[in-house]
Amino acid sequence: MPDAPKPLVGIVMGSKSDLPVMKECVELLKRFGIPHEVSIISAHRTPGVAREYAMGARTRGLELMIAGAGMAAHLPGVLASWTTLPIIGVPLASGALNGVDALYAIVQMPPGIPVATVAIGSAGARNAACLAAQILGLKHPAIAQAYEDYRREMAHSALPAGTFEV
Amino acid sequence: MPDAPKPLVGIVMGSKSDLPVMKECVELLKRFGIPHEVSIISAHRTPGVAREYAMGARTRGLELMIAGAGMAAHLPGVLASWTTLPIIGVPLASGALNGVDALYAIVQMPPGIPVATVAIGSAGARNAACLAAQILGLKHPAIAQAYEDYRREMAHSALPAGTFEV
Amino acid sequence: MPDAPKPLVGIVMGSKSDLPVMKECVELLKRFGIPHEVSIISAHRTPGVAREYAMGARTRGLELMIAGAGMAAHLPGVLASWTTLPIIGVPLASGALNGVDALYAIVQMPPGIPVATVAIGSAGARNAACLAAQILGLKHPAIAQAYEDYRREMAHSALPAGTFEV
Amino acid sequence: MPDAPKPLVGIVMGSKSDLPVMKECVELLKRFGIPHEVSIISAHRTPGVAREYAMGARTRGLELMIAGAGMAAHLPGVLASWTTLPIIGVPLASGALNGVDALYAIVQMPPGIPVATVAIGSAGARNAACLAAQILGLKHPAIAQAYEDYRREMAHSALPAGTFEV
Amino acid sequence: MPDAPKPLVGIVMGSKSDLPVMKECVELLKRFGIPHEVSIISAHRTPGVAREYAMGARTRGLELMIAGAGMAAHLPGVLASWTTLPIIGVPLASGALNGVDALYAIVQMPPGIPVATVAIGSAGARNAACLAAQILGLKHPAIAQAYEDYRREMAHSALPAGTFEV
Amino acid sequence: MPDAPKPLVGIVMGSKSDLPVMKECVELLKRFGIPHEVSIISAHRTPGVAREYAMGARTRGLELMIAGAGMAAHLPGVLASWTTLPIIGVPLASGALNGVDALYAIVQMPPGIPVATVAIGSAGARNAACLAAQILGLKHPAIAQAYEDYRREMAHSALPAGTFEV
Amino acid sequence: MPDAPKPLVGIVMGSKSDLPVMKECVELLKRFGIPHEVSIISAHRTPGVAREYAMGARTRGLELMIAGAGMAAHLPGVLASWTTLPIIGVPLASGALNGVDALYAIVQMPPGIPVATVAIGSAGARNAACLAAQILGLKHPAIAQAYEDYRREMAHSALPAGTFEV
Amino acid sequence: MPDAPKPLVGIVMGSKSDLPVMKECVELLKRFGIPHEVSIISAHRTPGVAREYAMGARTRGLELMIAGAGMAAHLPGVLASWTTLPIIGVPLASGALNGVDALYAIVQMPPGIPVATVAIGSAGARNAACLAAQILGLKHPAIAQAYEDYRREMAHSALPAGTFEV
């Protein structure tokens, strides 16, 4: 049996409760054929794990990380502080502020240390995978092709204009 | 005289009034040695130009686009709808809502068509360049090195902790 | 059997999931006797369809378009960019921001390309039909009359003041 | 000397302090050749004047009204309650909430009585004139033509993509 | 059988759907022994009824009005524009903005025409009755006494500090 | 020389820095001929003074209090907790949140203890005086008359509709 | 049977309905072995009880108070105004504004009288206990140790990075 | 010359531009006689410095840290993740969102790792010093006394109620 390909993308989330949303990201990465791994790492409860994970990512062959987090969502920014690989941040809608807190805590990074932020919740989880495919596709033609196919399929499933029956 | 290198990054903004902020992005791209070009294209006043620009981008050698826009900031999403290259969106703080409108209109993209969103205004303009360097650095080692140097320099300019005099 | 009248209003929504709300718009257009057609067109997944639909609208006899969309709701503005017919935009309350994102992305259009924005969700869907009746009524007396009747009926169903029993 | 044409559009604002912004609307109506008149009417201080103005508008030949107001901006909705002509509402950014209050008070109208809402402040004032031109253009070809010309001119003033020097 | 006392307070709401919340106001007015009447009047669908109701209120013996409304909640302000009696406004949490729109549309009245605004929803409905009791109590000692009793009862139902078992 | 009339209204503000805005309230009370007194009392720095002031207000002849405060604006609610007289609250726009914090902290009072809230800042300061005149006018005919005159004057200063020159 | 230890922490909430959330705070205090007492005190309905509770707290041996409150959440600030002990405030998500009102009313205290504010709702209730442990741990080594153990346990329950199966 | 006392409080800010606001914190600490040190440490640009600073703080004798930060203000939470000492967070109003982003990113910490959050900007900077005095005063009587004196002085500078001349 051949070895599984080495992961290119590390998906990280702060808590197991984030999994139902972040799973939509994982499913799309599978569809695009992007090798990946999934971790549960809290930026606040286990900062040392987050640090080691991010610092070792490039050496281990990861090319980008996707981090989903809610509330004062520091995880994407904390990973970004320990690596120079691109980080995609997914704000999750947990708690009373329904994801606005997570959005602001992820997107408003100070100059020098960006996080590529996508939409709050489920749409963002899926778009994190699409953005990863766009980025990795610059270097890996098969991934570019897989994302092109996905876009074409979305377009083809559309109805001719003006023909919808209500 | 040798030819200028072909641009890898297309910077687009909706209006000339966006230039003072977006210039901070251009300066950093220069520092990172990333060949680029700058355009003023309105998603709403010149949708045909936006469409042709995005559709032709890959063929012309661009690897990603950075779009800055304010208010109902459709420009990054409109470019994203016409290409499969990665788009980085910079929300600009024009008008009464001070950039919250632009942030929402850029980051809340529907599943399938992501925009990599950075902070509102000047911090975002600079981080768009840094994110571009991180992404292109996956493929172009010189760009990766330039961003590493920038990060190291930022870190070295820091003071030893506890020594600041007030 | 006589031909169905040619549609004056094109109702467009970004996804089938918008239908339950937008149906309230369709019902009112029927009541006002306004010929219409319904399409599902995504501004981002099928920008070419949106472009052709809007560019051909005037020639095909449409006099205005109603577009409902959620999140980073670009659809009304994208249609507006490809036509000079009036566009009515209905912000839909999908996703974590509950329609505030859609409201800002629809109403904050830049100078030159307006979208006539109505309320978020169900109230807006119904008011899009009423606004269409007001606008088309300027030219089509039967539509003006139908809206007048609707307004009179709403007023007559009111109770005399001070007589309500609790 | 020929008579001035009878006004088609009534521009109303709540206070003289709204004039600097609403003037941008007046300028564009002039450019589009749309006959108009300007009034200062407070929905709260002079509700009787607002009522008579709106009730008499159709008889006097007005085809639509544009109302600009700030804070708890009731003026557009109050006019709409007394007429069946289309009302365009411009939220103005006065007071501590910077126009968000006016936007909500104008756009969130209950079912049956719409207000066609445009952007907050200056962009909205100009777009109210553009929307008026789109609406009146359905019936008055010269106005349609004037707006087409304006759109074409905006498009032509754009630069070729990728040629901007920074 | 003696005549019912003439109402001092007119409670008005925009639609029957507001009744479950506004009923809490009615219950407290009953408890305070404040004669009152209840009406359903839409500021937008029946502006003439609202006008006559408010203009005739003082003559008919009303001393204040309580108006509950949601979304672009103009009702309290419209009543205030037609009378010089005090108006208490209750913002109701209907629609996607959950009452923030109603709060802004009620509280941000322009100088000269105030609305005494209370909390959004149920707490506000009850506090409208309490505020009415405080205001009318300045002139009607029995109402002042009833509100004093209510406050004392609330205070007495409190537990001694530090004795609560969890 | 006759004694000054005993004050009916106590105006309270949390700090001297609130005076420029609250002065607009004082000016209008003077115009309405309402006897009043002005105090600077912090709900947080001098809670004992606030308590004694509110507890003694009725005995000293005050009929209502107007309290202006910014940020976590507890002053109106704290006064309300120590008295059963009506309290009018004016949210002031100090600090980074520009008065939204003060508005929420004043208007969202729990059931039983209302604060009659008016607009943020200058408009609210003036409307606090108008609301006081409306309330006191129920008992004091001269005050009612003064407010009626003020309203009539505001209305008369309006221009005939449609005659404004731009 | 030995006497129960004298409480170091007083937990106060405005109403019994706050108990399900505040119970999470109590559970953690138990786990940390911090002696405590629980009270239900309304800052507005029973301001005298709140005053006496806070004024007597230091003498009775309390070292800090934790106050949970919703809406115009004055309780933490009112306690802080009557004592110089540290107050931890927990904003609760009751009412239409879902805790944003409570957050602003607790955190935006004026200079001189701080409230140590934690997250809205359940996360905040638990963090109030953790913050209490951190503060009391400076003086009571057993409490410091208990919080250290809690932190270590949280960290140990984490999974090795990259090993999560989806 | 005697040695300077070892610092009990570490004040940390993300950038020199935060100094004008954080200086108000330093001034008050001096007034309370609390030994302190000041550092400029970026959570994102120098995460290793932040980590070492926080991990070594207890050993070096610090008893709490005060961290001021703007935008996606991770600094207080990052320090909290590396220590079990109490952290006071001051949200600073930099950037387009004017401190709301910083407030959410500081206060909405996940369960287990609290940050004691104070007001945005200048009021918060001063209250961070007051809260530090309250906390340290539990253990250090001289600091408790200094804060008591400060509170008394604030109270004494108040004017007698009702005596203010406008």
Side-chain angles (χ1 to χ4, degrees):
Chain A
M1 198 185 95
D3 287 347
K6 282 180 63 175
L8 289 177
V9 170
I11 300 167
V12 188
M13 65 201 86
S15 128
K16 263 187 208 174
S17 62
D18 301 332
L19 197 62
V21 172
M22 293 306 291
K23 213 169 178 173
E24 303 189 47
C25 177
V26 177
E27 297 305 331
L28 267 183
L29 288 178
K30 284 181 186 165
R31 189 199 150 126
F32 298 144
I34 301 177
H36 58 275
E37 66 184 18
V38 180
S39 309
I40 311 240
I41 303 173
S42 164
H44 295 118
R45 286 185 297 272
T46 55
V49 181
R51 173 177 170 264
E52 278 171 52
Y53 186 78
M55 291 183 81
R58 192 184 288 271
T59 313
R60 290 175 48 242
L62 293 186
E63 299 201 337
L64 64 79
M65 279 165 274
I66 294 171
M71 298 183 66
H74 297 194
L75 183 60
V78 162
L79 294 176
S81 76
W82 294 114
T83 184
T84 53
L85 290 175
I87 305 289
I88 300 174
V90 184
L92 299 178
S94 58
L97 296 178
N98 214 24
V100 172
D101 44 1
L103 172 59
Y104 290 174
I106 291 175
V107 81
Q108 286 288 83
M109 289 291 287
I113 321 286
V115 169
T117 309
V118 291
I120 300 170
S122 160
R126 281 190 270 166
N127 269 347
C130 294
L131 182 56
Q134 291 177 324
I135 292 171
L136 298 176
L138 296 176
K139 191 175 157 192
H140 306 277
I143 296 175
Q145 190 57 51
Y147 179 64
E148 295 279 353
D149 294 347
Y150 175 72
R151 282 285 287 270
R152 195 167 305 117
E153 188 179 300
M154 283 198 308
H156 284 178
S157 67
L159 293 168
T163 64
F164 195 75
E165 295 291 324
V166 181
Chain B
M1 195 183 96
D3 286 350
K6 281 179 63 172
L8 289 177
V9 170
I11 300 166
V12 188
M13 63 201 90
S15 128
K16 261 187 209 174
S17 62
D18 301 331
L19 197 62
V21 173
M22 293 306 291
K23 211 169 180 174
E24 302 190 48
C25 177
V26 176
E27 297 305 331
L28 267 183
L29 288 178
K30 284 182 186 164
R31 189 199 148 124
F32 297 143
I34 301 177
H36 57 274
E37 66 183 19
V38 180
S39 309
I40 311 242
I41 304 173
S42 165
H44 295 118
R45 287 184 297 271
T46 55
V49 180
R51 174 177 169 264
E52 276 171 55
Y53 185 78
M55 291 182 81
R58 193 183 286 271
T59 312
R60 289 175 47 244
L62 293 186
E63 299 201 338
L64 65 80
M65 279 164 274
I66 294 170
M71 297 185 68
H74 296 196
L75 181 61
V78 161
L79 295 177
S81 76
W82 294 113
T83 184
T84 54
L85 290 175
I87 306 289
I88 299 173
V90 185
L92 299 179
S94 56
L97 296 178
N98 214 24
V100 172
D101 45 0
L103 172 59
Y104 291 174
I106 291 176
V107 80
Q108 285 288 82
M109 288 290 288
I113 319 287
V115 168
T117 310
V118 291
I120 301 170
S122 157
R126 281 190 270 165
N127 268 347
C130 293
L131 182 56
Q134 290 178 324
I135 291 171
L136 298 176
L138 296 176
K139 194 175 155 191
H140 306 276
I143 296 175
Q145 190 58 51
Y147 179 64
E148 294 280 350
D149 293 347
Y150 175 71
R151 283 284 286 268
R152 194 166 306 118
E153 186 178 303
M154 281 199 308
H156 283 177
S157 67
L159 294 167
T163 63
F164 196 74
E165 295 291 324
V166 180
Chain C
M1 198 184 94
D3 287 348
K6 282 179 62 173
L8 290 177
V9 170
I11 301 166
V12 188
M13 65 201 87
S15 129
K16 262 187 208 174
S17 62
D18 300 332
L19 197 62
V21 172
M22 292 307 290
K23 211 170 180 174
E24 303 189 49
C25 177
V26 177
E27 297 305 330
L28 266 183
L29 288 178
K30 284 181 185 165
R31 189 199 149 126
F32 297 143
I34 301 176
H36 58 275
E37 66 184 18
V38 180
S39 309
I40 311 240
I41 304 173
S42 165
H44 296 118
R45 286 185 296 272
T46 55
V49 180
R51 173 176 170 265
E52 277 172 52
Y53 186 78
M55 291 183 81
R58 192 184 287 271
T59 314
R60 289 175 49 243
L62 292 187
E63 299 200 338
L64 65 79
M65 278 165 274
I66 294 170
M71 297 183 68
H74 297 194
L75 182 61
V78 162
L79 294 176
S81 76
W82 293 115
T83 184
T84 53
L85 290 176
I87 305 289
I88 300 174
V90 184
L92 299 178
S94 57
L97 296 178
N98 214 24
V100 171
D101 45 0
L103 172 59
Y104 291 174
I106 291 176
V107 80
Q108 287 288 83
M109 290 289 289
I113 321 286
V115 169
T117 309
V118 290
I120 300 169
S122 160
R126 282 191 269 167
N127 268 347
C130 294
L131 182 56
Q134 290 177 324
I135 291 171
L136 298 176
L138 296 176
K139 192 175 157 192
H140 306 278
I143 295 175
Q145 190 58 51
Y147 179 64
E148 294 280 352
D149 293 347
Y150 175 72
R151 282 285 285 270
R152 195 167 303 118
E153 187 178 301
M154 283 200 307
H156 283 178
S157 68
L159 293 169
T163 64
F164 194 74
E165 295 291 324
V166 179
Chain D
M1 195 184 98
D3 286 347
K6 281 178 63 172
L8 289 178
V9 170
I11 300 166
V12 189
M13 65 202 87
S15 128
K16 262 186 210 176
S17 61
D18 301 331
L19 197 62
V21 173
M22 293 306 292
K23 212 169 179 174
E24 303 189 49
C25 177
V26 176
E27 297 305 330
L28 266 184
L29 288 178
K30 284 181 185 164
R31 187 198 151 126
F32 297 144
I34 301 177
H36 58 274
E37 66 184 19
V38 180
S39 309
I40 311 242
I41 304 174
S42 164
H44 294 119
R45 287 185 297 271
T46 55
V49 181
R51 174 177 169 262
E52 277 172 52
Y53 186 78
M55 291 183 82
R58 193 183 287 271
T59 314
R60 289 175 49 242
L62 293 186
E63 299 200 339
L64 66 78
M65 279 164 274
I66 293 170
M71 297 183 68
H74 296 197
L75 182 61
V78 162
L79 294 176
S81 76
W82 294 113
T83 184
T84 53
L85 290 175
I87 305 290
I88 299 173
V90 185
L92 300 178
S94 57
L97 296 177
N98 214 23
V100 171
D101 44 1
L103 172 59
Y104 290 174
I106 291 175
V107 81
Q108 285 289 80
M109 289 289 288
I113 320 286
V115 169
T117 309
V118 291
I120 301 170
S122 158
R126 280 188 273 166
N127 268 348
C130 293
L131 182 55
Q134 291 178 324
I135 291 171
L136 297 175
L138 296 177
K139 194 176 156 190
H140 306 277
I143 296 175
Q145 191 58 52
Y147 179 64
E148 295 279 353
D149 294 347
Y150 175 71
R151 283 284 287 269
R152 195 167 304 117
E153 186 178 304
M154 282 199 307
H156 284 178
S157 66
L159 293 169
T163 62
F164 195 74
E165 295 291 326
V166 180
Chain E
M1 197 184 98
D3 287 349
K6 284 180 63 174
L8 289 177
V9 170
I11 300 166
V12 188
M13 64 202 86
S15 128
K16 263 187 207 172
S17 62
D18 301 332
L19 197 62
V21 172
M22 293 306 290
K23 212 169 179 174
E24 302 190 48
C25 177
V26 177
E27 297 306 329
L28 266 184
L29 288 178
K30 284 181 185 165
R31 189 201 149 124
F32 297 144
I34 301 177
H36 58 274
E37 66 183 20
V38 180
S39 308
I40 310 241
I41 303 173
S42 165
H44 296 119
R45 287 185 297 271
T46 55
V49 180
R51 173 176 170 265
E52 277 171 54
Y53 186 78
M55 291 183 81
R58 192 184 287 271
T59 313
R60 290 174 50 242
L62 292 186
E63 299 201 338
L64 66 78
M65 280 165 273
I66 294 170
M71 297 184 67
H74 296 195
L75 181 61
V78 162
L79 294 177
S81 76
W82 294 113
T83 184
T84 53
L85 290 176
I87 305 289
I88 300 173
V90 184
L92 298 179
S94 55
L97 296 178
N98 213 24
V100 171
D101 44 1
L103 173 58
Y104 290 175
I106 291 176
V107 80
Q108 285 289 81
M109 290 289 290
I113 320 285
V115 169
T117 309
V118 290
I120 300 170
S122 160
R126 281 190 270 166
N127 269 348
C130 293
L131 182 56
Q134 290 178 324
I135 292 171
L136 298 176
L138 296 176
K139 192 176 158 190
H140 306 278
I143 295 174
Q145 190 58 52
Y147 180 64
E148 295 280 352
D149 293 347
Y150 175 71
R151 284 284 287 268
R152 196 167 303 119
E153 187 178 301
M154 283 199 307
H156 284 177
S157 67
L159 292 169
T163 65
F164 195 74
E165 295 291 324
V166 181
Chain F
M1 195 183 98
D3 286 349
K6 283 178 63 174
L8 290 177
V9 170
I11 301 166
V12 189
M13 65 201 87
S15 129
K16 262 187 209 175
S17 62
D18 301 331
L19 197 63
V21 172
M22 293 306 291
K23 213 170 178 174
E24 302 189 49
C25 177
V26 176
E27 297 306 330
L28 267 183
L29 288 178
K30 284 181 185 164
R31 187 198 151 127
F32 298 144
I34 301 177
H36 58 274
E37 65 183 20
V38 180
S39 309
I40 311 242
I41 304 173
S42 164
H44 294 118
R45 287 185 296 271
T46 55
V49 181
R51 174 177 169 264
E52 277 171 52
Y53 185 78
M55 291 183 82
R58 194 183 287 271
T59 312
R60 290 176 49 242
L62 293 187
E63 298 200 339
L64 65 78
M65 279 164 274
I66 294 169
M71 298 184 67
H74 295 195
L75 183 61
V78 162
L79 294 176
S81 76
W82 294 113
T83 184
T84 53
L85 290 176
I87 305 290
I88 300 173
V90 185
L92 299 179
S94 56
L97 296 178
N98 214 22
V100 171
D101 45 0
L103 172 59
Y104 291 175
I106 291 176
V107 80
Q108 286 289 79
M109 288 290 287
I113 320 286
V115 169
T117 310
V118 291
I120 300 169
S122 159
R126 281 190 270 167
N127 268 347
C130 293
L131 182 56
Q134 290 178 324
I135 291 171
L136 298 175
L138 296 176
K139 194 176 156 190
H140 306 278
I143 296 175
Q145 191 56 52
Y147 180 64
E148 294 281 352
D149 294 347
Y150 175 71
R151 283 283 286 270
R152 195 167 304 118
E153 187 178 301
M154 283 198 309
H156 283 178
S157 66
L159 293 168
T163 63
F164 194 75
E165 296 292 325
V166 180
Chain G
M1 197 183 97
D3 288 348
K6 283 180 64 174
L8 289 177
V9 170
I11 301 167
V12 188
M13 64 201 87
S15 127
K16 263 186 210 176
S17 62
D18 301 332
L19 197 61
V21 172
M22 292 306 291
K23 213 170 178 172
E24 302 189 49
C25 177
V26 176
E27 297 305 331
L28 266 184
L29 288 178
K30 284 181 186 165
R31 189 199 149 124
F32 297 143
I34 301 177
H36 58 274
E37 66 184 19
V38 181
S39 309
I40 312 241
I41 303 174
S42 164
H44 295 118
R45 286 185 297 271
T46 55
V49 180
R51 173 177 170 265
E52 277 172 53
Y53 187 77
M55 291 183 80
R58 193 183 286 271
T59 313
R60 290 174 50 242
L62 294 185
E63 299 201 338
L64 64 79
M65 279 165 274
I66 294 170
M71 299 184 65
H74 297 195
L75 183 59
V78 162
L79 294 177
S81 76
W82 293 114
T83 185
T84 52
L85 289 176
I87 305 289
I88 300 174
V90 184
L92 298 178
S94 56
L97 296 178
N98 214 24
V100 171
D101 44 1
L103 172 59
Y104 289 174
I106 291 176
V107 81
Q108 286 289 82
M109 289 290 289
I113 321 285
V115 169
T117 308
V118 290
I120 300 170
S122 160
R126 281 191 270 167
N127 269 348
C130 293
L131 182 56
Q134 291 178 324
I135 292 171
L136 298 176
L138 296 177
K139 191 176 158 192
H140 306 277
I143 295 174
Q145 190 59 51
Y147 179 64
E148 295 280 350
D149 293 346
Y150 175 72
R151 284 283 287 268
R152 194 167 305 119
E153 188 178 300
M154 283 199 307
H156 284 178
S157 66
L159 294 168
T163 64
F164 195 74
E165 294 292 324
V166 181
Chain H
M1 195 184 99
D3 286 349
K6 283 179 63 175
L8 290 177
V9 170
I11 301 167
V12 188
M13 64 201 89
S15 125
K16 261 187 211 176
S17 62
D18 301 331
L19 197 63
V21 172
M22 292 306 291
K23 212 170 180 174
E24 303 190 47
C25 178
V26 177
E27 297 306 330
L28 267 183
L29 287 178
K30 284 181 186 164
R31 187 198 149 125
F32 297 144
I34 301 177
H36 58 273
E37 65 183 20
V38 180
S39 309
I40 311 242
I41 304 174
S42 164
H44 295 118
R45 286 184 296 271
T46 54
V49 181
R51 173 176 169 265
E52 277 171 54
Y53 185 77
M55 291 182 82
R58 192 183 288 272
T59 313
R60 291 175 48 244
L62 293 186
E63 298 199 339
L64 64 79
M65 280 165 273
I66 294 170
M71 298 185 66
H74 296 195
L75 181 61
V78 162
L79 294 176
S81 76
W82 294 113
T83 184
T84 54
L85 290 175
I87 305 289
I88 299 174
V90 184
L92 299 178
S94 56
L97 296 178
N98 214 22
V100 171
D101 44 2
L103 172 59
Y104 290 175
I106 290 175
V107 81
Q108 287 288 82
M109 290 289 289
I113 320 287
V115 169
T117 310
V118 291
I120 300 169
S122 159
R126 281 190 270 166
N127 269 346
C130 294
L131 182 56
Q134 291 178 323
I135 291 171
L136 298 176
L138 296 177
K139 195 176 155 190
H140 306 277
I143 295 175
Q145 190 58 52
Y147 180 64
E148 294 280 351
D149 294 346
Y150 175 71
R151 282 285 286 269
R152 195 167 304 119
E153 186 179 303
M154 283 199 308
H156 283 178
S157 67
L159 293 167
T163 63
F164 194 74
E165 296 292 323
V166 181

